[in-house]
Amino acid sequence: MTTSKIEINLTNSRKEKPNEENLVFGRHFTDHMFVADYVKGMGWQNARITPYAPISLDPASIVFHYGQTVFEGLKAYRSKDQSIRLFRPEENFRRLNQSLDRLCMPQIDEANALEGLLELLKVEEEWIPKLEGNSLYIRPFVIATEAFLGVAPATTYQFYIILSPVGSYYEEGIHPVKILVENEFVRAVKGGTGGAKTAGNYASALKAQETASSQGYSQVMWLDGVERKYVEEVGSMNIFFKIDGEVVTPAINGSILEGITRKSIIELLAHWGTPVTERKVSMDELAEAHNSGKLEEVFGTGTAAVISPVGELNWNGKTMRINDGITGALSKKLYDALTKIQTGENEDSLNWITSLSPTYEEIK
Amino acid sequence: MTTSKIEINLTNSRKEKPNEENLVFGRHFTDHMFVADYVKGMGWQNARITPYAPISLDPASIVFHYGQTVFEGLKAYRSKDQSIRLFRPEENFRRLNQSLDRLCMPQIDEANALEGLLELLKVEEEWIPKLEGNSLYIRPFVIATEAFLGVAPATTYQFYIILSPVGSYYEEGIHPVKILVENEFVRAVKGGTGGAKTAGNYASALKAQETASSQGYSQVMWLDGVERKYVEEVGSMNIFFKIDGEVVTPAINGSILEGITRKSIIELLAHWGTPVTERKVSMDELAEAHNSGKLEEVFGTGTAAVISPVGELNWNGKTMRINDGITGALSKKLYDALTKIQTGENEDSLNWITSLSPTYEEIK
Ligand SMILES: Cc1ncc(COP(=O)(O)O)c(C=O)c1O
Ligand SMILES: Cc1ncc(COP(=O)(O)O)c(C=O)c1O
């Protein structure tokens, strides 16, 4: 993946862009993608931008059988001055490398990957939505391509970046969501792959998600797999609680995904002078806090939804209504602060943004 | 997957068959494969046998990102009378359906799947190895093909069956293997996907396997994810112990894969009048039994290796040598009994075999 050598092969049949008024999440893809190949002993090579097209793989490819694959998710925003803004992309490529390591897959060169992404964004600039609230979702992923039915790390891989113009993740927008606390199924356990962004974690979550959806809940909240007492995270978000004035979030423990939004919230609140406590949070504590009126706010954090206030938690059939089911002041303040940094409305005082000026000059 | 409608499209460029003397596991694939498509609301359709060829998938296909995929593994044997013999294939398709259910994937019609497999075997009959000890490994698998970046069950799937002529799984043959007891990493936990044959379980195992291999161990033995005390299973095998004359194996608990070889061993031993005890087996118990000279035999069971005697277990840096590192009498007896039923040398008194006569008449 030596970027000086990114080959660019443009399509000659551009797709029609979807209507920005009702963009759904993850259904539309742009005209091009970034690809690089890895061969053991030779490293990453053939970094290229090519027309978005099907991936052709031997039926025995390891990714189909043994799930050796990792991914990332981040967004590009168009600011009012027409520059293209990325929110902490270097954190995503760092986390991609952590995930790759857990799955015994080869490391990527983080700087080269970022450069590949920026090149791709230049090519696809017209795909970055213009409507407020919309953005271009970026999905880097690596798959094991070797055709081999033995359980062993592959010797060949492909790295892709695909792009998808998106609206809000939740159809409801920034309105509070209802979340079901999951008691039967477990997403991840210490010693497993919960800390990595890998396919198997999401596959294992589907069953619980299905039950939650059928009962009108938008996501599940996972408990730890050992004691089934402590909160881990939500479907595709980390989770924060404001209890009696204190902001707390489950500490990183090996089975929770270390979200970049989570990290940013912690840094932002510290910057504002209200440090977040990272520790174990039990469901008993939450139920007690709720009973005594001290569970003031609950919100999820993640790239897709940014901040997602929680209006209702259901645990063991009992419903905890939070902040009368309306968006709390802190949730709103954090949502506004983050989205305004992301879109360039507010100053980037924590130096989180990588941007391409309208003339494609990189600014950091 | 209505078998009356299996379309057959034969290749006109057959591959050269590999040398049977040194067949490696999972590297060679036959000329054709079985495929069927699923579309939500329409069910399985287009059952067909086509030339073995790459699978072409949208880069956003759910299988690449969220790991919605399950598989099976079984073998076809050529018996001395040239009939084609399958070992309990209906059990594999039943387990495939259990795995599909856990992953929120659509059920297959088990009888139709078996008929599809038999049709494929007729087409590929020449690929079934002739040399003793070799066989044709059969890999049915289902993948989620929908292009969608949301975490939700796909609405489209493909079911494949591919075939691979194989030698013994372990290069060492039926000689005892060395196994490392894993204390850091966990394969699966109650509430997770351990009971299903799905990609993520194997991806999560690679890291531990890598350490074990580098230390000269052929596989790892997994402990339970909650207490880290009880034996679960080995890489791709279930595990049995003979302790002071009693044969024991960890009870099925939701996180162990319910092996068909395991089940067959239990049934065979019951048939012989020596019932197996299915219960929790702790490492402490094993260490004590070893110290007092009562850990008589240890063996793994699985389709790939059939029976794999364990000559050495390493737990916390301490080595337990089992039966002086040689194959135990029970392991050998079970290996012989199973392989002779599989290859037709012995009578199929438990009615485990589905066979196709040399004239392709199905016999059960
Ligand atoms: C399981 C899980 N937890 C948390 C998050 C939040 O992470 P981030 O803030 O980096 O988007 C995500 C996803 O994006 C996720 O998939
Ligand atoms: C994790 C795991 N356990 C056990 C087994 C043994 O199952 P079976 O006897 O059906 O082959 C397998 C595989 O085949 C496996 O992958």
Side-chain angles (χ1 to χ4, degrees):
Chain A
M1 232 159 27
T2 320
T3 41
S4 47
K5 287 195 233 143
I6 295 181
E7 213 179 279
I8 300 186
N9 169 20
L10 298 182
T11 181
N12 39 34
S13 69
R14 301 226 169 209
K15 300 176 202 167
E16 208 186 311
K17 301 201 175 46
N19 183 345
E20 274 209 42
E21 297 288 343
N22 46 18
L23 272 183
V24 287
F25 188 92
R27 290 274 179 205
H28 306 283
F29 301 94
T30 69
D31 293 310
H32 300 88
M33 60 189 183
F34 176 86
V35 193
D37 306 320
Y38 178 90
V39 177
K40 194 177 169 175
M42 315 218 298
W44 288 102
Q45 52 195 18
N46 301 333
R48 59 199 184 273
I49 288 168
T50 64
Y52 186 91
I55 300 177
S56 179
L57 289 176
D58 192 288
S61 291
I62 287 177
V63 63
F64 294 135
H65 304 270
Y66 308 124
Q68 227 195 346
T69 173
V70 300
F71 68 95
E72 269 304 326
L74 67 161
K75 283 177 174 174
Y77 305 86
R78 181 188 293 282
S79 74
K80 294 236 164 72
D81 67 4
Q82 299 304 312
S83 67
I84 303 170
R85 296 168 69 86
L86 290 169
F87 186 71
R88 314 189 80 175
E90 64 286 351
E91 293 286 341
N92 290 91
F93 291 117
R94 183 179 309 156
R95 188 171 64 186
L96 186 65
N97 266 340
Q98 288 166 1
S99 299
L100 285 166
D101 177 67
R102 178 63 184 82
L103 277 290
C104 300
M105 298 166 76
Q107 297 286 292
I108 54 148
D109 181 305
E110 296 171 22
N112 286 354
L114 179 55
E115 211 174 317
L117 170 57
L118 294 175
E119 283 306 311
L120 181 62
L121 289 173
K122 287 180 199 169
V123 169
E124 301 293 62
E125 186 274 334
E126 283 179 23
W127 280 93
I128 304 175
K130 295 179 181 66
L131 213 66
E132 200 186 314
N134 291 353
S135 57
L136 188 69
Y137 183 77
I138 299 163
R139 169 59 57 93
F141 65 104
V142 185
I143 55 175
T145 56
E146 188 184 5
F148 177 42
L149 293 186
V151 182
T155 57
T156 59
Y157 298 87
Q158 284 192 309
F159 174 46
Y160 287 87
I161 305 178
I162 58 175
L163 307 174
S164 172
V166 298
S168 301
Y169 191 74
Y170 294 108
E171 278 166 32
E172 310 99 303
I174 199 239
H175 300 300
V177 295
K178 291 165 67 180
I179 285 182
L180 185 64
V181 181
E182 176 61 41
N183 288 311
E184 183 186 355
F185 293 108
V186 169
R187 174 187 173 269
V189 72
K190 193 165 187 305
T193 54
K197 217 164 156 69
T198 183
N201 297 336
Y202 299 83
S204 109
L206 292 172
K207 196 86 181 174
Q209 178 67 41
E210 203 171 56
T211 310
S213 300
S214 75
Q215 295 179 18
Y217 294 89
S218 70
Q219 298 217 5
V220 300
M221 191 159 93
W222 298 107
L223 302 184
D224 78 283
V226 174
E227 298 185 65
R228 308 281 184 111
K229 270 173 70 172
Y230 299 102
V231 174
E232 297 250 312
E233 58 183 309
V234 167
S236 52
M237 299 192 292
N238 295 107
I239 189 94
F240 286 72
F241 306 95
K242 189 173 165 219
I243 304 173
D244 201 14
E246 188 191 16
V247 184
V248 301
T249 190
I252 296 304
N253 60 1
S255 53
I256 294 175
L257 188 81
E258 190 166 357
I260 293 157
T261 319
R262 174 187 181 280
K263 184 175 182 171
S264 305
I265 296 287
I266 292 172
E267 291 172 16
L268 191 60
L269 282 171
H271 184 67
W272 289 349
T274 37
V276 172
T277 310
E278 298 176 71
R279 61 166 168 84
K280 286 190 175 190
V281 181
S282 74
M283 279 311 303
D284 285 330
E285 176 187 355
L286 292 180
E288 259 176 54
H290 181 259
N291 279 341
S292 58
K294 290 179 179 162
L295 186 56
E296 297 160 5
E297 288 188 41
V298 179
F299 56 92
T301 69
T303 295
V306 188
I307 300 284
S308 189
V310 178
E312 187 181 315
L313 277 178
N314 183 310
W315 183 43
N316 289 331
K318 275 179 229 121
T319 285
M320 303 182 214
R321 221 173 133 73
I322 294 138
N323 197 39
D324 286 330
I326 60 173
T327 300
L330 179 65
S331 306
K332 183 76 174 75
K333 190 176 165 193
L334 285 168
Y335 179 83
D336 288 342
L338 272 187
T339 53
K340 282 179 179 168
I341 293 172
Q342 287 164 342
T343 56
E345 240 183 285
N346 278 5
E347 203 199 330
D348 174 26
S349 43
L350 287 156
N351 198 25
W352 283 340
I353 302 296
T354 293
S355 67
L356 286 174
S357 75
T359 56
Y360 296 145
E361 203 183 318
E362 188 179 341
I363 311 159
K364 167 92 212 191
Chain B
M1 234 158 27
T2 320
T3 41
S4 47
K5 288 194 233 143
I6 295 181
E7 214 178 277
I8 300 185
N9 170 20
L10 297 182
T11 181
N12 38 36
S13 69
R14 301 227 170 209
K15 300 176 202 167
E16 208 185 312
K17 302 202 174 47
N19 183 347
E20 274 210 41
E21 297 288 344
N22 46 16
L23 272 182
V24 287
F25 188 92
R27 290 275 180 204
H28 305 283
F29 301 93
T30 68
D31 292 310
H32 300 88
M33 60 188 184
F34 176 85
V35 193
D37 306 320
Y38 178 90
V39 177
K40 194 177 170 176
M42 315 219 297
W44 288 103
Q45 52 195 17
N46 301 333
R48 57 198 185 274
I49 288 168
T50 64
Y52 186 91
I55 300 178
S56 177
L57 289 176
D58 192 290
S61 291
I62 287 177
V63 64
F64 294 136
H65 303 271
Y66 307 124
Q68 228 195 346
T69 174
V70 300
F71 68 96
E72 269 304 325
L74 66 161
K75 283 177 173 174
Y77 305 86
R78 182 189 294 281
S79 74
K80 294 235 163 74
D81 67 4
Q82 299 302 312
S83 67
I84 304 170
R85 296 168 69 87
L86 290 170
F87 186 71
R88 312 189 82 174
E90 64 286 351
E91 293 287 341
N92 290 92
F93 291 118
R94 184 179 307 155
R95 187 171 63 185
L96 186 65
N97 265 340
Q98 287 167 1
S99 300
L100 286 166
D101 178 66
R102 179 63 183 83
L103 277 290
C104 300
M105 298 166 77
Q107 297 285 292
I108 54 148
D109 181 305
E110 295 169 24
N112 286 353
L114 178 55
E115 211 174 316
L117 169 58
L118 294 175
E119 283 305 312
L120 181 61
L121 288 173
K122 287 179 197 168
V123 169
E124 301 293 61
E125 186 274 334
E126 283 179 23
W127 280 93
I128 303 175
K130 296 179 182 63
L131 215 65
E132 201 187 312
N134 292 353
S135 57
L136 188 69
Y137 183 77
I138 299 163
R139 170 59 58 93
F141 64 104
V142 185
I143 56 175
T145 56
E146 188 184 5
F148 178 42
L149 293 186
V151 183
T155 56
T156 59
Y157 298 86
Q158 284 192 310
F159 174 46
Y160 287 87
I161 303 177
I162 58 175
L163 307 174
S164 172
V166 298
S168 301
Y169 191 73
Y170 294 108
E171 278 166 33
E172 309 98 302
I174 199 240
H175 300 301
V177 296
K178 291 166 65 181
I179 285 182
L180 185 65
V181 181
E182 176 61 40
N183 288 312
E184 183 186 355
F185 294 108
V186 169
R187 172 186 174 272
V189 70
K190 194 167 186 303
T193 55
K197 219 164 155 66
T198 183
N201 297 336
Y202 299 83
S204 107
L206 291 172
K207 195 87 183 173
Q209 179 65 43
E210 203 171 56
T211 310
S213 300
S214 75
Q215 295 178 19
Y217 293 89
S218 69
Q219 296 217 4
V220 300
M221 190 159 92
W222 299 106
L223 302 184
D224 77 283
V226 173
E227 299 185 65
R228 308 280 183 110
K229 270 174 70 172
Y230 299 102
V231 175
E232 297 250 312
E233 58 183 309
V234 167
S236 50
M237 299 192 292
N238 296 107
I239 189 94
F240 285 72
F241 306 95
K242 190 173 164 219
I243 305 173
D244 201 15
E246 187 192 16
V247 184
V248 301
T249 190
I252 296 304
N253 60 2
S255 53
I256 295 175
L257 187 81
E258 191 167 356
I260 292 158
T261 319
R262 173 187 182 280
K263 184 175 180 170
S264 305
I265 296 287
I266 293 171
E267 291 172 15
L268 191 60
L269 282 171
H271 184 68
W272 289 350
T274 37
V276 172
T277 310
E278 298 177 69
R279 60 165 169 86
K280 286 191 173 188
V281 181
S282 74
M283 279 312 302
D284 285 329
E285 176 187 355
L286 292 180
E288 259 174 55
H290 181 260
N291 279 342
S292 58
K294 292 179 179 161
L295 186 57
E296 296 160 7
E297 289 188 40
V298 179
F299 56 91
T301 68
T303 294
V306 188
I307 300 283
S308 189
V310 177
E312 187 182 314
L313 276 178
N314 182 310
W315 183 43
N316 289 331
K318 274 178 231 121
T319 286
M320 304 182 216
R321 221 172 133 73
I322 294 137
N323 197 39
D324 286 330
I326 60 173
T327 301
L330 180 65
S331 306
K332 184 75 175 74
K333 190 177 165 193
L334 285 168
Y335 179 82
D336 288 344
L338 271 187
T339 52
K340 283 178 179 170
I341 294 172
Q342 287 165 342
T343 56
E345 240 182 286
N346 278 5
E347 204 200 330
D348 174 27
S349 44
L350 288 154
N351 198 26
W352 283 340
I353 301 297
T354 293
S355 68
L356 285 174
S357 74
T359 57
Y360 297 145
E361 204 184 317
E362 188 179 341
I363 311 160
K364 166 90 214 189

